[in-house]
Structures are given as C-alpha cells and as structure tokens.
Amino acid sequence: MALQRKLTGMERDLEAIQGKLDDLNQEATKLGEEHPSQKPEIQAGLAEIQEVWEDLNNTMKAREESLGEAGKIQGFLRDLDDFQSWLSRTQTAIASEDNPTSLTEAERLLAQHQNIRNEVDNYKEDYQKMRAVGEEVTQGQTDAQHMFLSQRLQALDTGWNELRQMWENRRHLLAQAFDFQTFLRDVKQAEGFLNNQEYVLSHTEMPSTLQGAEAAIKKHEDFLTTMDASEDKISGVVETGRKLMSEGNANSDKIQEKTDSIHERHQKNRRAATELLAKLKDNRELQHFLQDSQELTLWINEKMLTAQDLSYDEARNLHSKWQKHQAFMAELGSNKDWLDKIDKEGKALVCEKPELEPVVTQKLADLHRLWEELESTTQTKAQCLFDANRAELFTQSCSSLDSWLKNLSGQLQSDDFGKDLTSVNILLQKQQMLENQMEVREKEVEALQSQALALSQEDSNTVEVDTKQRGVQDRFQLLLDPLRARRMKLLASKEEHQFNRDLEDEILWVKERMPLATSMDHGKDLPSVQLLMKKNQTLQKEIQGHQPRIDDIQAHGLTMRRGRGEEEDGGAGPLEGRLAELRDMWSQLISEGEQRHGRLTEAHRAQQFYADAAEAEAWMGEQELHMMSDEKAKDEQSATAMVKRHQGVEQALEDYAQTIHQLANSSRLMVTGEHPESERITMRQAQVDKLYAGLKDLAEERRGKLQERLRLCQLKKEVDDLEQWISEREVVAGSHELGQDYEHVTMLRDRFREFARDTSAIGQERVDSVNALADELIDSGHPENATVAEWKDGLNDAWADLLELIDTRTQMLSASYELHRFHQDAKETLGRIQEKSTQLPEELGRDLNTVQHLHRQHTTYEHDIQALSGQVRQVQEDASRLQKAYAGEKAEDIQKHDRSVAEAWSALLSASDARCQLLLDTVEKFRFFNMVRDLMLWMDGVNLQIDAHENPRDVSSAELVITNHQDIKAEIEARADSFTSCIEMGSSLLAKNHYASEEIREKLKQLDDKRDEINNKWQEKMGWLQIVLEVLQFGRDASVAESWLASQEPIVRTAELGGNVDEVESLIKRHEAFEKLAAGWEERFGLLEKLTTLEEQDRKRRREEEERLRRPPTPPPPEPEVVQPTQEEAQDTDAGTSLDQTTLDQSVSVNGVHSDPDTSQPVSVTMKPRDITQSRKPADSETESVNGPGRERDSGLAASSEPGARIEPLPSATLPSKVSEPSGGEQMEGMLCRKHEMESFSKKAASRSWQNVHCVLRKDSLGFYKDSKSAAAGIPYHGEVPVSLTEAVCEVAHDYKKRKHVFKLRLSEGKEFLFQAKDDPEMNTWIRSIAASISGGSAAERSPSAPKGLSRAMTMPPISPISPNSGEAGGVTMRNKEGKERDREKRFSFFGKKK
C-alpha cells in the first residue's frame, strides 16, 4: 500500500512533468521557428526527451500493473489472514466446553450458537469469493510460494468444513443440554407436585366424626382430581425422559435416575392415595356405626333415667304408672330391632374390615351391656310396681280388662257391615284397631295370669283371684272367634261394594267418553283439528288401556254371579243387566272412536292445507310488508346489511317456491280425491299463487331501491371518511411548530414534505374517486341528486382548504428552514473558518524545497479557503436576504452571525495573505541563498581551477594554461549577469525590508568578498603565468638562439677559405647570407638581453634588500604571548557559535550555502612558499569561503612565514542534522500510540488497549496528554502524573510482533509501556532522546568539546601541506577531469537530490 501511495504521488509528479513537457514542446516549436538552423538539434533533443518520457510512462504502467497484481495478492493474503483469524476465533468459540447449568443459560448458549451460525452464513459469500480469488491466483502456478498458498487454501477448506461440522456437533450437544435443562425444569415441577402429594398424604388424619369423615372423603376426592390433573404432566415428564434416553442424550444416566424416581414416587403416591381413600371410607362407615351407636346409647341412657324413676309410692296413681310402665316396656320391645340392626351392621363391618374389630366389638359390647342394664332395670321397676300393691293392682287390672271386653263384645255383635265402600273401609280400620288392642290385652291377660299365680302364692284368697283371672281369660278367648268372623264379613262386604263401585265407574267412564267419540266437531282450524286428533288418539289409547279393566270387571262379575247363584239367586239379575249394559256401551265406544278418527284425518288434511296456505300467505304478506317498507339506511353498514338481508329474503323467496309447489300438489291430490272442501281448496291455491307472483315483483323493485341507497351510503361514507381524513390532515397542516434548531426544522420539513406528497397523491386520488362516484350517481338520475351535489361541493371546498393550508405550512417551514439553515451554515462556516485558522501552520521551512512545498500546501490551503469563500458569500447573501424578511431580535441575531462570519473570514484572509507573503519572502530568500550558494560553489570551483597545480614545460603548454586561465576570466565575465541579478535580488529584498535582511546583507557581503578574492587571485595567477610564459619564451628563444649559434658556429669557426674562385664565391655568398641572417638575429638577441619581469622583480627585491641593509638595523618587536584558550572557554566559544547558528533557524552553511548532512570530502591544495607568505590574507579569505563566515578562530590555520612550512590540518567543524534531537535539558514532543503493558513486575495492567497520546519528554520525566492543546494547557491525559525516567530502560520491543515500529519503556518500579512510532527513524529518535534524558546529560560529559544541540559532525576539507618536492617556483598541481568530476559530485552531494 505504501508503494502504491508512493506510485500515486509519482503519477501526480508525472502529471506536473507532462505539463512541463507540453510547455517544452511549445517552446521547442517556437525556437524552431525563430532558429531554423538549429531546429534539427532541437527536434532531436525533444525526441530524445519524448522517448525517455515514453519509457518512463511505460515503466510506470508496468510498475502500476505489477503493483496492482501484487496489491491484489497482498489484499488476498490479508483477507486470507483475516479470514483464517476469524475462522480460528470462531472454531475456538465453537469448541468451548461450557455446559449450561440452567435453562436460561442453555437458551443463551443456543442463541449465541445460532448467532455464530448466522455469522458463518454471512462469511459464506466471503469464503466463496476468497476461494475463487485463490484459485485464480494459484491457477497454473508451480512455484513454492503459490504451492504454499494452495496448501493454505486447502487448509482453509478443511477448516471451513470442520467449522460447519463443529457447529453441528456443538449445536447437537447444546440441543441435548437444552432438552436436559428443560427436562430438569419439568422434573422440578413434577417433584413439586409429588412433594405436595406426599405431604398431603402423610399429613392426612382420620376424622373422629361422621361429618368430618365425609368432609375428608370429599377433600380427598378433590385431591385425587388434582392428582389426575397433574398426572398428565408427570407422565409427560416420564415420557420425555424416556424419549431423551432413547435419543441417546449425553446425560442419560441422570435422566434415567430422575425418570425412575419420579415414576416410582408417582406410583407410590397413587397407591397411597387409593389406600387413604379406602381408609377414609372405612373410617366413614366406622363413624356412621359409631354415630348410630352413640344415638342408641343416648336413647338407652335417656330410657334408663325413665326406668330408674321410682316415684310410685302413692296408690292412687299406681295403676296408671303400671300402665305407663307397660307401655314403656312395649316401647322397649319395639326398639329391640334398633339394637339388632346396629348389631348386624357391626358384625358386617367386622367381617369386611377385620382391623376395626376391636373398636366395633367394644362398642357392641357396651351397647348390649347398656341394653341389658335397661331391660333389667325395666323388669326391676315392673316388679317393684307390681310388688307395691299386687292385690289392688290385680283387681283393677281385672275390672279394667273385663269392662274393655264387654265393650268389645257389644261392638262385635253389631250388624252394621257398611252401606258403601267408604263405610266398609272405616269399619275395617276399626276392626284392625280392635285386633291390635286384642294383642295388647292378650299380654295383659298373660300378666294377670302371672300376677294371679304370684298372689296365689302370697295370699290365702286364692280362689277369688283364680276365678277372676279365669273369667277374664275365658271372656277374652270367647271374643276371638267373633272378631275373626266379623272381619271376614267386612272383607266380603268390601269386595261387593268395591265391584259395584268399579262397575259403575266403568259405565260412567264409557258414558263420559261416548260424547267424544260421537262428536261431529271436526275443528275450524288446524290447531283445533290437531287437538281433536290428539284427544281422539288419547281416547283410543284410554280405550285400549281400559280394555283389560273391562275384561277384569266382566270376569269378576261372572265370578260374583256364580257365588251369588249358590247363595242367593235373586241378586244375579241386576248384576247381569249392568254387565250387559257395560258390554254394549264399550262396543259402541270403540266403533265411534274409529269413525271419528277417519273424519278427523280428512279434516286434518284440509286444515293442514289451509294452515299451510295461510302460513304461506302470512309469510308472503310479511315479506310484502318488508318489501313495501320505506325504511332507509343511514350509513353504508346498514345499507349493506339491508341489501344482504334482502338478498336473503330473495333467496328465501326462491326457496319458498318449493313450498308453494308442495301446496299445489297437496291441493291437487285433495281435489282429485273428491275432498268435501275441494272448491275452497282450489280458490285458496289460486290466491297463494297470485300472491307469490306479486311478491317476486316487489322483491325486484325493492332490490333496485336498496342498490341505489347502498351506492348513496357508500358515497356518504367515502365523503365522511375523506372529510375526516382531511380534517386530520388539517390538524397537521395547521400546526404552528417551526422547529427548535436546524436538525429539528429539517426533520419537520422533510416529514411535512412527505406528508404533503402523500396527502396530495392519496387525497387527490380519493377526491377524484369520490367526485367520479358522485357524478355517476347524478348522471344516473339518483333521487338524492341535490344532496350528492352538496356533498361533492363541500368535499371539494375542504380539499381546497387543506391544499391551501399545506402550501402555507410549506412556506412557513421553508422560511424557518432558511433561517435555521442560515444559522447552521453560519455556525458551520465559522467553525470551518476557525478550523482553517488553526490549520494555518507557522513553519517556514529549512530549504527552498521545503518552502516551495509549504507554498504549494498554502496554495492548496488558499484554494480550500477560496472554496470556503462561496460558503461565506452564501452566508452573507442569505443574511442580506433574511434581514429584509425579518425584524427585531431575529434580524439582530442574523446580523450578529453575519458579522461574526465576516470578521472571522477577514481575519482568515488576512492571516492567509500574511502567510502567503511570508512564504513568498521565504522563497525569495532561499532562492537568493541558492543563487549565492551556486555562485559561491562556482567561485569555489573557479578558485580550485585558479589554484590548480600546473607545471607548463614549454611555451605552448604555458600559452595553453594562459588560454585556459583567460577562459576562466571569460567565464567570470559571463557570470557577471548572474552576480548582478543576485546582487539586485538581494538589494531588492533589502529594499523591501525583508525579515531576513541581516542574513541577506551578510550573504551579499560574502559574495562581494568572494568575488573580489576571485578577481584578485585571477590577476595574481595571470601575472604569475605571464612570468612563467616570459621565462619559457626566454628559454625557448635562448635555446633556439643557442641552437642557431651552435649551428652557425662551424660556419664562423671554419678555416676553409676556398680552393678556387667558385668555392671562395660560394663561401662569400654563404658568409653574406650568414651576415644577413645574423643581422636578422640581432633583434632576437636584443630581445633576449632585455630583462624579464621576474628579473626586474628580483632586481627590485635586491635593490630593496640593499637599501634595507644600508639602513641601520632596528630592534625587533617582542613577540606577543599567545594565550591558549582553556577547555571551558573553547566549549563556551563553540556553544556560543552553535547557539548563534541555531538561532538563525537554518543549518550551518558550507561555502555560503545550506548543506545537507552528508560529509564533505577533503580537497588538497599545494601552494608556493612565497604565496603562503605573500597571500596570507587571501588564504584567510579562502578559508572563510570554504568553512563559512565567522570561522577564522575555528579554522586553526597557523600559516608559517618560512618556506616549506607545513600547514596544520583544520579541526573538524560540526553541522546539525535535519532532525534535531533534544538534549537532556530540552523538550521533545509528538503523537505516539501507547499501550500500558505492566502495572508492576508481576501484575499486568487492567486496561491494555492501544491509545493515541501526545507525549512530552522533559528532563527525567515523560508526560502524556490528549493533544498539543492539552499539553500547552497542562491538562494530563486522564489525570495521569508524568512518569519518572530515573533508572528507566528504553529499547526496541523485539518481542512484540503484532505491530511495527514499537519500542518499550520499563520504569524502575516495574511499570512497562509500549509505544508505536510512524516509522523507524522516528522510533530511533525517541529512543535516543529518552536514553539521553535517562542518562541526564552523560552525552555532554562524554563529548565536552562538542557544541550542544548537534548530533553529527561534518569535517570540511583542510588545506593540504605543501609538498617539498613541488618543483621550483611551487607550481600549481592540476586535477584531471575525473578528479574534478569526483570533487564536484562530492561537493554537490552536500545537497539532497531532487526526486
């Protein structure tokens, strides 16, 4: 990504270069037109540039494609790493062994697991895309990396499949756990039921009363009902447990245990409940027995009190007491059955429930004991009563019994056997009473016998007692037979009277039924006929039911007639006559009943037809009334109901056609069967048919009216609904809420726009629909046309009012929106202006490139704020427009916002212009400095060329050196315009009162001094070269002359004079030629004799020396004592120099220009001894030029006046690097990403997340702040105290691999922090700065002579020592081209290359 961003930056640079190339093409075209002769060269150079440009573009494209492919691969690898990381995390999450311990936790884990499934499904598309990209990347690739990538993809597939399988396994496990927890919940509920049942069963006590027993049984039955209700749940739990076990649940053992426990407990409770119910029922029987026993016991105790009453002393009431006691004894005898019944029940209870035997037996024994006590007490009392007055009691008893027997005898002798059945029954009842009294008197007779026997034993008057007793007994026996005979007679009388009465009753019954059977009343309508038929049916049933009774009476009469015939034949005649009369009447009654049944059947058919016809007429009349009703529906619902009801009526009318058809068939059958009322039946049928046809016509008419009414009601409903909808919309449209702020009013406006849009769309459609429906009703001639038109007009008026309200509301919201938007825009614009103001930097840059970059940034910044100007202008326009529309506080508020925006905008523009001007001044300054630097470098090169150590060997080489030296002069003169423009630029900057005027003035002075120095050096070197040339010319001429003399000397020195004339003439001619030649050489020898400039200077020097020698000698002045500066003073001097240089806010200049931190290379310069002595000042100037201004005392140059003296090398000068590192006492700050790793040596920090903090490094401490503003205000980050760096350790975090550029800081108390920088240089800078702060200035102690604030030294080239073998006159050593180029490269390496 970094390479792609860098490539993008290069593409932007290429775009800028493209513009330059376009300009270059235009310039080349222009130059070609101006200079046609050089056009081919221009085109060739342009073609070469274009070729290079195309190569660069092709390279960029290839690079872009390769980076795109690499970016794609890297993106795929990053996505693969992220997916594998997610896959690993998800597998870890799924592989969790957490088992839920509750149903809630199980549900939560299931939900989480389902969320994981959803997440996996969401990643499925990413997985498929990644697989596709991976196959595309690895397809056809066989290298190791792609094979490894293929293996990763295979591992990814495996992991993906394993993930899904793991999810399924985990889901199955969680589902089982959920089922198990659900089962446990149901088990808990079932156990609660069982616990309650067990508690009830174990705490149920047997009641001790019958009412309690019955209540307990009822309560237990309710309990059993509850058990039955809960049995389904318990059975469901058991079935669920067995189902889970059959499904192989992981907790089958626990489920088995719980299931068995619940099942066993439930069965146990069921058995216990059944047993308890049986016990309760047994207890109820026992309590019933006990209650009966208790009642009998109470009765016995009550009778015991009566039996124990012994108040019978008075003789006057003794007999009555005896009689009462006799009755009491009779009562005891009658209640003996009660005891027997209880005894029988008790024995049955003991047989059925042996466990109750002790209680029952005890109770029965108690009852028998009490009963025996009562009987014994009664017998005792009877005996006591009898013993009290036996004779009197016996006499009274006999007389009383005798009088009763006489009375009874008179009654038995009566001939009254009853005159009718009632009197006979009364006599039978009296006879029964007499018989009962006879039984009682029989016991009294037996008692008299026992008394008589007792009296005969005690008293002497035995005969009288026996006589009375036998007399009473005989009379009693004599009355028994008459009593029985009278009973038989009474029964016979009763039978006779009963037969006569039955016979009379039957005759009377037949007579009573005979009018019904012979009645000719066949009914006037169907109900009466049906009633008569029912009566007739009832009569027939009664006749049928009475037949056996008639037969019995006939048989009984026959029997009685036979019996009477034996006794008295005279009474059989009337009985036979009555029986014959009964037979005749009975036969007549049966015959008349059958005939009446036939007549009633015919009458029923006719009346049924009449009833059906009347019912049909009534129904049709009712329907006719309904159809002729003027009822009108009030709304659509009632209209719809009426239509539906009418449809039902019509359907009923259609269905009723079957009834009419059945009536017609019935009437046809009766007419065909010659029914007595055929004519009437035919007329009724015709009436029914006519009425039905008319009813159908009315139904059609009614349906049309109802349809019209329904349409009117539908219109009414639509109108009402639409008016209601319009009124609701009017409430919204009439709202006066205009919003509290911009967001609120925007929300209101958007909502109201949507409301207006929906209202317009829906409302218009509904209004059009209603209008169309109304128009349709009006066009169809509806009876309510006027009402429909009125409804339509009212609806359209309401719709128009709503639209007007919506328009008004829209305008109000628009106005409010504009006002709030103005305020919002003003705030946003003001905020952006303030943001831009804070973004305006104060940095001016350290070199031209930086300043130009800052200027470009500022140009972009100005473009940004120019874009902001549109907002400001819009705010001002909105303010001016809104001020016209508003007044009062709103207008003041608008003006206030407008004013604040205008002021902030003006301030921003002023600051931007000032910044721009400052950057332009800085650009001009650095351009001036660059020009000065270029000129200084050029002068350094010229200086090196002038100082070049050259030894011309002959005149030609000397002339070549002079020519080269003159070329230097030409180059110097050619540079005059550059010097002029540079000086003019500096002067213009000074004239404009530039903020760096002092530096500019100093640079101008350096430039002038250097220029003068170069000119002076050139002049000196030119003079020296002229001398050398003269010397070489002299040597050359002297050598030529010497050669010429040597060549001519044989001619002069020869002794040959010629042997003949010709030879002499020849010699003469040769000598003449020699003389002529010698005459020509005269001038040359004259020139050779002329003193050279060197000889003149030597002569002048000797002359001055002679004059000096001739002057009296003067004592030499004392040598000044050279005081060596101490180390502290040197440090102070260096520190002051470094501080002065640092104050300039720019790097130290080398050769008068800004340099990069690359180390310069030494340049060797060898000078003549006399140049060292004669050119001390120029040497110092050169030193200043090389090492920068103000460095004379640092140069350490100790020039010797002695020839051949060695110049000591310069001490190293130090220059600051680009990134200034603070010393221990200075501050360093910046943004870092921090992570608190350790709180102490053995405790990790609570929060170990990465946080962006602003770090401020001071001496022995490191503070953390939120940002630079917080640091300036002194507000620590989360109130943290700055950490002390005493004995701290700061180093690169090699063991932390998750992030890059991370270093760690370990404090003395064990705290440990991790810091992430943006790159390695920044990380190293922080590490060095923190280490320096930790050491407390140890760096300064290790290097006391080094200037403070400098981190890296750059040694400037010293002056090389003069070689003693440099040759006579100390010639200049020339550098070859390679050396010059190398020196130039090294010299220019001081400055960073442009990219």
Side-chain angles (χ1 to χ4, degrees), residues 182-383:
T182 306
F183 172 74
L184 290 181
R185 181 198 62 188
D186 297 340
V187 164
K188 187 175 182 181
Q189 186 178 6
E191 287 179 345
F193 293 151
L194 294 175
N195 291 334
N196 293 333
Q197 293 172 6
E198 291 172 353
Y199 179 81
V200 171
L201 293 173
S202 61
H203 289 77
T204 299
E205 297 179 354
M206 295 295 137
S208 60
T209 62
L210 179 61
Q211 293 81 2
E214 292 178 350
I217 290 175
K218 184 177 181 181
K219 183 178 179 180
H220 192 69
E221 288 175 350
D222 295 338
F223 172 74
L224 290 175
T225 304
T226 307
M227 284 187 67
D228 294 338
S230 61
E231 185 174 5
D232 295 337
K233 297 182 180 179
I234 297 175
S235 301
V237 172
V238 174
E239 291 297 327
T240 303
R242 292 172 179 172
K243 181 179 179 182
L244 292 178
M245 288 186 293
S246 64
E247 291 176 355
N249 195 286
N251 301 286
S252 298
D253 298 338
K254 296 181 180 179
I255 295 173
Q256 178 71 34
E257 181 181 355
K258 291 288 185 181
T259 303
D260 295 342
S261 174
I262 289 175
H263 183 67
E264 291 174 0
R265 291 177 63 186
H266 177 63
Q267 295 298 328
K268 181 180 178 182
N269 290 346
R270 175 59 67 180
R271 291 192 297 271
T274 305
E275 293 174 359
L276 181 60
L277 179 61
K279 289 180 180 179
L280 288 175
K281 290 182 178 180
D282 294 344
N283 182 65
R284 183 182 62 179
E285 294 179 1
L286 176 63
Q287 294 301 325
H288 187 273
F289 168 76
L290 292 177
Q291 184 176 357
D292 292 343
S293 301
Q294 184 67 21
E295 291 177 355
L296 182 58
T297 302
L298 292 176
W299 184 84
I300 291 173
N301 291 332
E302 181 181 357
K303 296 304 177 181
M304 182 67 74
L305 293 176
T306 303
Q308 291 177 355
D309 184 13
L310 300 178
S311 57
Y312 45 84
D313 297 333
E314 298 179 0
R316 54 185 178 84
N317 58 356
L318 186 63
H319 183 71
S320 62
K321 288 186 177 181
W322 170 256
Q323 289 179 344
K324 288 181 181 179
H325 190 70
Q326 290 296 323
F328 177 75
M329 292 178 66
E331 183 181 1
L332 288 180
S334 64
N335 285 314
K336 180 70 174 178
D337 296 336
W338 191 0
L339 177 62
D340 295 339
K341 179 182 177 182
I342 292 176
D343 186 61
K344 185 177 179 180
E345 291 178 354
K347 291 179 179 178
L349 186 62
V350 169
C351 292
E352 293 178 0
K353 310 293 179 185
E355 64 272 10
L356 299 178
E357 183 177 2
V359 179
V360 175
T361 304
Q362 180 66 30
K363 198 67 178 176
L364 288 176
D366 293 341
L367 285 175
H368 282 288
R369 179 178 55 79
L370 290 174
W371 185 265
E372 290 174 356
E373 289 179 359
L374 178 61
E375 285 185 338
S376 62
T377 302
T378 303
Q379 292 295 333
T380 301
K381 183 178 179 179
Q383 187 66 35

Side-chain angles (χ1 to χ4, degrees), residues 1227-1261:
Q1227 172 179 308
M1228 181 176 183
E1229 57 181 310
M1231 291 298 293
L1232 291 175
C1233 197
R1234 183 193 72 175
K1235 178 181 181 182
H1236 192 183
E1237 187 72 13
M1238 300 294 292
E1239 184 66 30
S1240 62
F1241 289 105
S1242 60
K1243 180 181 179 182
K1244 292 187 177 181
S1247 176
R1248 293 185 291 162
S1249 59
W1250 286 94
Q1251 300 168 344
N1252 290 323
V1253 295
H1254 186 83
C1255 302
V1256 177
L1257 176 64
R1258 297 185 178 90
K1259 184 177 181 180
D1260 296 336
S1261 67

